[in-house]
Amino acid sequence: MEQENSRNAERINAETAEKYQKYVNPTALNLLRLAGFDRVESEGCGAVLRDVEGNEYIDCLGGYGVFSLGHAHPKVIEAVYAQMKRLPLSSKTFLNKPLADLSEKLASLAPGDLQYTFISNSGTEAVEAALKFARIATGRTKIVSTIGSYHGKTFGALSASGRESYKKPFEPLLPGFSHVPFGDIAALEAAVDDETAAVILEPIQGENGIRIPPDDYLPAARRICDAHQALLILDEVQTGLGRTGTMFACERYGVAPDIMTLAKALGGGVVPIGATMGTPAVWAKVFAENPYLHTSTFGGNEMACAAALATLEILEAEDLPAQAAIKGEKLLSGLRQVQSRYPDLLEEARGRGLMIGVEFADSDIGKLAIGALLKNGVIAAYTLNNPKVMRFEPPLIITDVQIERVLSAFDSALRETQELLDELLA
Ligand code: PMP
């Protein structure tokens, strides 16, 4: 029986890989194969992911921040299922109660005067809306962003993003975007003027390798925007909803944006959803003349809103932002201890809450370590814009025992990586 299951799993792996080769993305398949990720995922529960062979992994990649509640959270699934049976998608004609309830809930949680919400289906769509709203609200077109930033891969969000290799092949992108070094107040000050519609920032750069700015950066960005009546857009797609130890990363600095984007964790790891929040002043300009100036067929559908509402309720009821702060400290201090044992391999471990990055001496060492970590039952991943950094963004519901297992797997992975390097260099 066991043998048959194992043969079955092997067949599913091989057939799926072949379909990737023929119908999906052969280059991606090769990349996944290199690190040992060329196997089919099958089930998720909490912080644990299983493949078809029945191997279990602690998921520290967490869908790049999607699985804050873990995989397949029963309460989110229940809320979605209840809604799904009645009316999964909006008719787009009548009032939509889950959309109204979710928007009210977001307003009660969001910082400052953020009161209105436009719901879409992904992070990049949330950013597209933010950029369009900033233009309309100010009547200006210039946007200042940061080098290394990641805001998505549709044209507007890509124009805002700060990694050339994703942008160059698609030029010309949107005009009016400039990029300054992240965390550099003087550079921001010099780039913003009276023609600037908005500054767009991630409170912590995620894909660029968990870059935390100096403490006075966001307050300075707020001040600089105000001085020129430009808007501040904070992209909390990855940092938002408890990940960094507060509900929103900007709370720590006492800074509130004019526009804020959310996605990833908002759907509870069950349904895709994006959100763009704005102040009454912004909304008055965006929708005053034409309420349908910006729309989305699927955005705001009942099923996604029910998932998001349940997610926010769970985050609050279980105080998961505070949990992220406590567990993040434990994980980060453990990773730093491992780092001190392998100073030649690892340069730094840094992070806030459960948004943690470990920086390798070079990206090839990082590649070897990811594969070794997988063999030890833990999934972590590269950051898209900085392959020297391995990212740990586990579910906020990860248990202390699981954190201990992650740390011991990481230690073993580095030992094996060191042994492999010694062999290669011998
Ligand atoms: N903004 C930030 C800060 C992100 O990290 C991401 C995704 N990594 C996005 C936007 C884009 O989100 P999506 O992939 O859902 O379009």
Side-chain angles (χ1 to χ4, degrees), residues 104-145:
E104 178 194 38
K105 185 77 190 165
L106 282 168
S108 78
L109 295 171
D113 299 332
L114 294 172
Q115 182 184 321
Y116 287 95
T117 303
F118 176 82
I119 298 288
S120 56
N121 310 285
S122 66
T124 200
E125 280 176 75
V127 171
E128 291 295 325
L131 297 171
K132 286 178 73 181
F133 294 180
R135 273 196 181 186
I136 290 284
T138 60
R140 306 173 182 177
T141 54
K142 280 167 64 172
I143 306 278
V144 177
S145 181

Side-chain angles (χ1 to χ4, degrees), residues 12 15 71 75 89 93-94 122 134 143 151 153 168 187 192 195 233-234 244 264 303 320 324 330 377 380 389 411 421:
I12 293 170
E15 283 176 4
H71 291 274
K75 283 189 190 152
L89 297 179
T93 45
F94 298 106
S122 66
I143 306 278
H151 298 290
K153 285 186 177 140
K168 267 260 166 298
V192 177
E195 290 170 11
I233 303 172
L234 288 181
T244 69
K264 292 199 189 276
M303 198 169 55
L320 291 181
K330 191 177 163 82
V389 178
D411 193 60
L421 285 171

Side-chain angles (χ1 to χ4, degrees), residues 89-422:
L89 297 179
S90 170
S91 75
K92 293 279 168 185
T93 45
F94 298 106
L95 294 178
N96 171 339
K97 181 170 170 2
L99 172 70
D101 291 345
L102 172 61
S103 302
E104 178 194 38
K105 185 77 190 165
L106 282 168
S108 78
L109 295 171
D113 299 332
L114 294 172
Q115 182 184 321
Y116 287 95
T117 303
F118 176 82
I119 298 288
S120 56
N121 310 285
S122 66
T124 200
E125 280 176 75
V127 171
E128 291 295 325
L131 297 171
K132 286 178 73 181
F133 294 180
R135 273 196 181 186
I136 290 284
T138 60
R140 306 173 182 177
T141 54
K142 280 167 64 172
I143 306 278
V144 177
S145 181
T146 56
I147 296 168
S149 62
Y150 190 94
H151 298 290
K153 285 186 177 140
T154 49
F155 270 106
L158 188 62
S159 305
S161 292
R163 177 102 191 273
E164 286 307 311
S165 57
Y166 289 120
K167 298 172 69 164
K168 267 260 166 298
F170 298 102
E171 285 178 349
L173 298 180
L174 285 188
F177 285 78
S178 60
H179 295 79
V180 294
F182 184 64
D184 183 336
I185 294 171
L188 192 62
E189 197 135 40
V192 177
D193 60 27
D194 291 345
E195 290 170 11
T196 304
V199 170
I200 180 165
L201 295 172
E202 295 162 84
I204 295 174
Q205 283 190 335
E207 303 298 336
N208 198 27
I210 317 293
R211 301 271 157 206
I212 301 173
D215 276 349
D216 54 352
Y217 188 57
L218 284 195
R222 180 70 274 178
R223 179 176 47 74
I224 293 166
C225 286
D226 289 344
H228 296 280
Q229 289 174 354
L231 302 182
L232 178 62
I233 303 172
L234 288 181
D235 181 348
E236 294 246 14
V237 162
Q238 196 162 147
T239 50
L241 304 173
R243 169 97 2 228
T244 69
T246 46
M247 189 59 90
F248 303 99
C250 62
E251 276 171 36
R252 179 193 160 89
Y253 306 101
V255 168
D258 302 288
I259 298 176
M260 181 167 78
T261 54
L262 298 170
K264 292 199 189 276
L266 186 58
V270 176
V271 185
I273 183 168
T276 307
M277 300 193 70
T279 60
V282 168
W283 241 244
K285 295 266 176 53
V286 178
F287 291 113
E289 279 180 27
N290 181 352
Y292 301 118
L293 191 61
H294 188 75
T295 56
S296 161
T297 300
F298 290 128
N301 70 74
E302 275 85 346
M303 198 169 55
C305 291
L309 200 54
T311 300
L312 295 176
E313 278 161 10
I314 295 163
L315 282 168
E316 264 194 317
E318 298 180 14
D319 201 5
L320 291 181
Q323 288 293 312
I326 296 165
K327 289 169 185 168
E329 236 166 73
K330 191 177 163 82
L331 182 56
L332 182 57
S333 74
L335 290 169
R336 283 187 172 140
Q337 278 168 25
V338 178
Q339 181 216 345
S340 68
R341 288 198 280 279
Y342 302 93
D344 295 341
L345 300 186
L346 267 182
E347 285 184 346
E348 198 190 5
R350 57 175 176 264
R352 179 159 299 145
L354 282 170
M355 187 168 178
I356 295 175
V358 292
E359 181 148 353
F360 288 90
D362 77 47
S363 47
D364 287 337
I365 298 178
K367 262 183 229 159
L368 290 175
I370 292 258
L373 193 58
L374 182 70
K375 287 202 192 92
N376 282 283
V378 171
I379 305 170
Y382 279 143
T383 47
L384 279 177
N385 285 0
N386 186 349
K388 273 174 76 179
V389 178
M390 186 197 277
R391 221 171 349 160
F392 290 84
E393 295 191 27
L396 312 187
I397 48 106
I398 191 170
T399 64
D400 285 348
V401 172
Q402 286 169 328
I403 289 177
E404 290 300 336
R405 274 173 46 203
V406 169
L407 290 170
S408 101
F410 189 58
D411 193 60
S412 304
L414 288 195
R415 194 182 55 244
E416 288 159 23
T417 304
Q418 182 73 67
E419 284 165 5
L420 201 64
L421 285 171
D422 291 345

Side-chain angles (χ1 to χ4, degrees), residues 9-30 32-33 37-40:
E10 268 172 41
R11 184 181 48 77
I12 293 170
N13 281 337
E15 283 176 4
T16 307
E18 200 181 317
K19 288 177 192 173
Y20 263 63
Q21 180 70 34
K22 274 194 182 158
Y23 306 113
V24 184
N25 187 336
T27 325
L29 174 66
N30 286 341
L32 292 172
R33 197 166 265 157
F37 285 105
D38 55 333
R39 47 189 72 192
V40 172

